[in-house]
Amino acid sequence: MAVKSNNQKAWLFVLPVVLLVAFNALIPLMTVVNYSVQETFGNNVFFWEGVKWFEDVLHSERFHASLLRQLSFTGIILLIEVPLGVAIALTMPKKGFWVSVCLVLMALPLLIPWNVVGAMWNIFALPEIGLLGRMINGLGIDYNFTQNPTAAWFTTILMDVWHWTSLVVLLAYAGLRSIPDAYFQAAKIDGAGTWAVFRYIQLPKMKRVLTIAILLRFMDSFMIYTEPFVLTGGGPGNTTTFLSIDLVKIALGQFDLGPAAAMSLIYFLIVLLMCWVFYTLMMKNEDQ
Amino acid sequence: MSLVLKNVVKRVGSETHIYDTSVELHDEGFNILLGTTLSGKTSLIQLMAGLERPTSGEIWFKGKNVTGVPVQKRNVSMVHQQFINYPNFSVFDNIASPLRVVNLSRSAIDERVGRVAEMLKLTPMLGRNPNELSGGQQQRTALARALVKDSDLVLLDEPLANLDYKLREELRDDLPKLFADRGCMVVYATSEPAEALSLGGHTAALHNGQLTQYGETPSVYRQPTSLRSAKVFSDPPINSAPVTKKDGRIHLNDQVSWDATPAQMHIADGQYNIAVRAHHITPTPPSGASVKVSGRILVTELSGSESVAHFVMDDQTWISQSHGVHANKVGAVAQYYIDIDRCLFFDLDNKRIAA
């Protein structure tokens, strides 16, 4: 009887992936988990704390406030960037020389590093010397983003819209361009108007790319750090202290490694959960 | 009730898509636009629909000049090569979509959609979405949308091209029945000669934006007025070669010649081009007069119960098509018989001369 021998060589082929995932994801994550259940006062001395840090974070008003600010920020920028991006994509030319011009102009903000964007907008919006700041003040509106929370929020949102709407535009444009002309001809024959064409042909055909756009913008804006950090530093007061800014303050400012690690894990789980919910909701109709 | 094109020209940029074309399409049965890709079928269909405006010339429909009239006001329906349906409408709503814009009562819509769905065997799928249907069902939904309103003109732009073989045959058989006694004009674009022949009606042969011939389908097939029309209407490609007529004999080359048939006797001496369809060159002699040729086999193919062989004679490739499965070896020298009664004669400008 022939015995099928187990070929142990296969492990060799799996090894690179195992190592990659281990160093890339598992080990850093487990280090965070390790910190999140212990207390340390330095010198590599650790005391077991169990789930105390998690309870602390979940009950802390400071965390609730940051989370609320984060959710508001993400909600507002999604509500602005997605419709605006689709609207711009719809008005972009379909063929000819201007297509490339528009695409390059649209792609430019995406190529600028985060901290440069933050610095740019900081100078741009300064009430005394910035172009935007002086213009708004010139209109008779008292605008100072370093002192007024509303102005700080306005500037942060405007900056994000400027930086990231292009991403939605490019994705939506790609989705629109992939619709065969025959659809528009069929709609024309039926006598469908511009709104009906958008509602019943363009929007359903863009569904996949818009799902991706919303997911990307959600994840990115939910983890936003550099731009508001450079622009407002989380202020005035704590009014633009979003989750990641708060996290860095706790971890590196106060050096509370345990609570910071617990907060990181909760933060991570929230992002994961929200993405899953988004994705399931948006893909639900797809496979009916 | 007729559709007339008067000196229609369509240019886009520096390219001419349709050269000066005048034709009066027949009211009854199918009008087939036959041609390869880029021959201008789709351009003509779009002009007829009113989706595009001709650069010059006029289009008349039912005795009225409709040249500038937009498609919404023309009462036309169209089926495209791609399966075009509203993606998030059910099959029912898709079929009903042309009726929704004309303010029909709910019960009238239900009744008409139900009837058309029954005709196209879509009744069980009415509640589904188009992306849950097979290709054939999706295209039948698109056909139902075209049938549900009483259009004066129905344009079918290669509706079967994206379907698989079996479905294509099935729908091709159904099409004439679906449009019989509807009192509408049907224009059907296709690149397949076999499809044109099985649909009957009238055929317009198109080549590179030019209408080469228009007439009843069988007569365009049997009596092409030019070598172009003959080429458009032949699959496998028609064989053509120069011949010389001298002293009552037709010379194909140094070895092959034959006595002119009674019909060919009337042709004056001189040089001509002949064309012979592949199925008139066979490995066994035909019942009538024929001439024997031989050549080295280059390629052989089987399609269904038909054998096709490409062979080289005089540095030229000839194609033979015959019934049955013939075991031809590539590289072997084989003999074929040209049915000389079926040779079509063209002058050196490739215009057909009676023979």
Side-chain angles (χ1 to χ4, degrees):
Chain A
M1 201 175 82
V3 178
K4 201 176 173 187
S5 68
N6 279 324
N7 192 342
Q8 300 298 331
K9 252 187 277 178
W11 292 108
L12 217 59
F13 295 104
V14 184
L15 195 65
V17 177
V18 171
L19 284 177
L20 193 74
V21 173
F23 281 101
N24 190 28
L26 285 176
I27 295 175
L29 193 69
M30 290 324 288
T31 316
V32 176
V33 172
N34 192 28
Y35 280 129
S36 74
V37 289
Q38 302 186 75
E39 169 75 291
T40 177
F41 301 103
N43 298 333
N44 260 346
V45 184
F46 288 94
F47 303 93
W48 176 255
E49 289 284 0
V51 293
K52 179 175 181 294
W53 301 134
F54 289 91
E55 283 172 350
D56 280 2
V57 168
L58 287 172
H59 289 112
S60 108
E61 271 173 36
R62 179 177 168 176
F63 177 73
H64 293 167
S66 311
L67 182 62
L68 187 67
R69 277 193 289 272
Q70 184 67 70
L71 286 170
S72 319
F73 176 76
T74 296
I76 291 170
I77 66 108
L78 279 181
L79 281 176
I80 297 173
E81 287 175 13
V82 174
L84 184 65
V86 171
I88 294 174
L90 283 169
T91 52
M92 270 176 48
K94 289 176 179 63
K95 51 186 166 193
F97 169 73
W98 291 103
V99 173
S100 351
V101 175
C102 287
L103 288 177
V104 169
L105 281 178
M106 281 296 144
L108 273 181
L110 300 175
L111 302 176
I112 302 174
W114 290 262
N115 50 356
V116 176
V117 172
M120 257 170 59
W121 277 80
N122 188 312
I123 297 165
F124 185 46
L126 277 178
E128 298 302 321
I129 54 163
L131 187 62
L132 179 74
R134 287 204 69 151
M135 261 167 56
I136 297 179
N137 279 305
L139 292 171
I141 302 160
D142 186 28
Y143 168 84
N144 187 343
F145 74 91
T146 57
Q147 277 160 30
N148 182 326
T150 319
W153 268 78
F154 171 77
T155 317
T156 314
I157 286 165
L158 197 64
M159 172 179 69
D160 197 81
V161 168
W162 175 82
H163 195 183
W164 290 109
T165 305
S166 301
L167 181 77
V168 184
V169 173
L170 294 181
L171 284 166
Y173 187 72
L176 284 173
R177 296 269 46 80
S178 69
I179 306 173
D181 271 349
Y183 277 94
F184 300 108
Q185 293 176 2
K188 222 171 162 187
I189 290 169
D190 281 350
T194 318
W195 169 250
V197 168
F198 174 70
R199 174 70 189 79
Y200 299 118
I201 295 173
Q202 291 171 317
L203 201 55
K205 285 272 159 190
M206 272 196 291
K207 197 172 155 188
R208 273 167 194 281
V209 284
L210 283 184
T211 306
I212 292 166
I214 292 172
L215 269 178
L216 284 177
R217 281 317 298 131
F218 167 77
M219 287 193 293
D220 246 17
S221 67
F222 207 78
M223 298 185 282
I224 193 167
Y225 175 75
T226 317
E227 293 153 285
F229 180 76
V230 176
L231 182 72
T232 63
N238 273 333
T239 46
T240 54
T241 300
F242 303 121
L243 277 178
S244 53
I245 297 181
D246 203 18
L247 180 62
V248 172
K249 279 183 181 168
I250 296 171
L252 302 178
Q254 301 160 212
F255 225 74
D256 284 335
L257 290 183
M263 187 174 160
S264 301
L265 287 174
I266 293 166
Y267 194 177
F268 169 65
L269 288 175
I270 292 173
V271 174
L272 207 64
L273 182 77
M274 298 280 260
C275 284
W276 179 75
V277 169
F278 260 116
Y279 191 78
T280 341
L281 278 182
M282 284 185 288
M283 281 296 150
K284 211 172 77 181
N285 303 328
E286 199 68 26
D287 350 283
Q288 268 175 10
Chain B
M1 178 69 198
S2 60
L3 179 66
V4 186
L5 306 187
K6 292 183 183 170
N7 299 100
V8 167
V9 175
K10 178 70 185 173
R11 268 188 233 108
V12 177
S14 58
E15 280 174 63
T16 305
H17 289 194
I18 298 292
Y19 291 90
D20 193 331
T21 298
S22 296
V23 66
E24 181 173 347
L25 295 187
H26 207 265
D27 295 348
E28 277 163 35
F30 277 57
N31 282 286
I32 291 147
L33 305 179
L34 179 64
T36 53
T37 36
L38 296 177
S39 63
K41 303 185 299 279
T42 301
S43 300
L44 268 185
I45 288 232
Q46 306 217 330
L47 289 168
M48 289 171 181
L51 286 162
E52 298 276 351
R53 260 190 97 125
T55 310
S56 65
E58 289 176 354
I59 296 169
W60 288 66
F61 189 61
K62 281 184 166 177
K64 266 185 272 173
N65 186 348
V66 293
T67 313
V69 181
V71 63
Q72 306 91 286
K73 299 196 178 144
R74 288 221 196 162
N75 196 23
V76 297
S77 357
M78 188 160 170
V79 177
H80 295 80
Q81 179 179 346
Q82 303 105 312
F83 312 138
I84 304 296
N85 293 300
Y86 294 102
N88 55 351
F89 279 5
S90 65
V91 170
F92 181 94
D93 286 329
N94 258 295
I95 300 175
S97 62
L99 303 176
R100 301 249 194 252
V101 277
V102 292
N103 282 329
L104 231 65
S105 74
R106 178 105 225 150
S107 59
I109 290 180
D110 284 353
E111 199 265 323
R112 282 168 75 163
V113 172
R115 205 175 37 187
V116 174
E118 193 61 51
M119 244 157 63
L120 284 158
K121 303 177 204 121
L122 284 168
T123 313
M125 289 92 184
L126 281 175
R128 295 201 206 161
N129 256 38
N131 58 3
E132 301 165 284
L133 302 179
S134 70
Q137 290 164 343
Q138 287 185 41
Q139 193 64 323
R140 287 216 299 272
T141 307
L143 268 168
R145 274 187 30 233
L147 279 167
V148 79
K149 70 173 182 179
D150 287 317
S151 312
D152 297 323
L153 178 62
V154 178
L155 300 156
L156 308 169
D157 189 3
E158 301 197 58
L160 309 181
N162 284 10
L163 293 172
D164 66 60
Y165 178 72
K166 201 76 207 153
L167 278 168
R168 203 183 311 172
E169 280 199 330
E170 204 180 295
L171 261 179
R172 188 202 283 159
D173 291 343
D174 290 343
L175 276 173
K177 285 179 229 152
L178 290 174
F179 287 99
D181 2 286
R182 285 192 69 91
C184 63
M185 213 171 151
V186 184
V187 177
Y188 184 103
T190 179
S191 59
E192 288 178 41
E195 212 162 71
L197 281 172
S198 78
L199 291 170
H202 290 68
T203 290
L206 294 167
H207 178 73
N208 281 348
Q210 274 168 318
L211 179 75
T212 58
Q213 194 173 349
Y214 178 72
E216 281 178 40
T217 304
S219 87
V220 176
Y221 179 74
R222 288 202 196 94
Q223 310 288 335
T225 53
S226 65
L227 188 55
R228 263 289 146 227
S229 299
K231 281 185 174 168
V232 168
F233 216 146
S234 296
D235 180 46
I238 199 163
N239 298 290
S240 69
V243 294
T244 312
K245 188 183 178 207
K246 206 173 153 198
D247 307 327
R249 269 185 87 75
I250 314 274
H251 299 268
L252 180 63
N253 55 36
D254 293 344
Q255 291 92 47
V256 182
S257 63
W258 67 87
D259 284 325
T261 62
Q264 291 160 4
M265 288 297 278
H266 307 291
I267 303 171
D269 282 5
Q271 293 197 309
Y272 299 96
N273 286 321
I274 57 157
V276 196
R277 287 211 163 83
H279 64 271
H280 293 135
I281 301 182
T282 46
T284 50
S287 50
S290 67
V291 62
K292 192 161 90 172
V293 297
S294 64
R296 190 174 296 277
I297 296 174
L298 263 189
V299 181
T300 63
E301 36 186 306
L302 284 176
S303 98
S305 58
E306 302 274 300
S307 299
V308 176
H310 299 233
F311 63 93
V312 181
M313 169 173 70
D314 276 356
D315 297 333
Q316 193 193 335
T317 308
W318 294 73
I319 302 172
S320 148
Q321 184 184 30
S322 50
H323 285 299
V325 177
H326 301 280
N328 288 315
K329 265 217 191 91
V330 171
V333 174
Q335 310 216 303
Y336 292 95
Y337 297 87
I338 300 177
D339 186 339
I340 53 173
D341 285 324
R342 306 301 184 108
C343 286
L344 302 165
F345 277 71
F346 300 90
D347 62 21
L348 292 181
D349 292 330
N350 288 326
K351 291 267 165 291
R352 175 94 186 285
I353 48 175

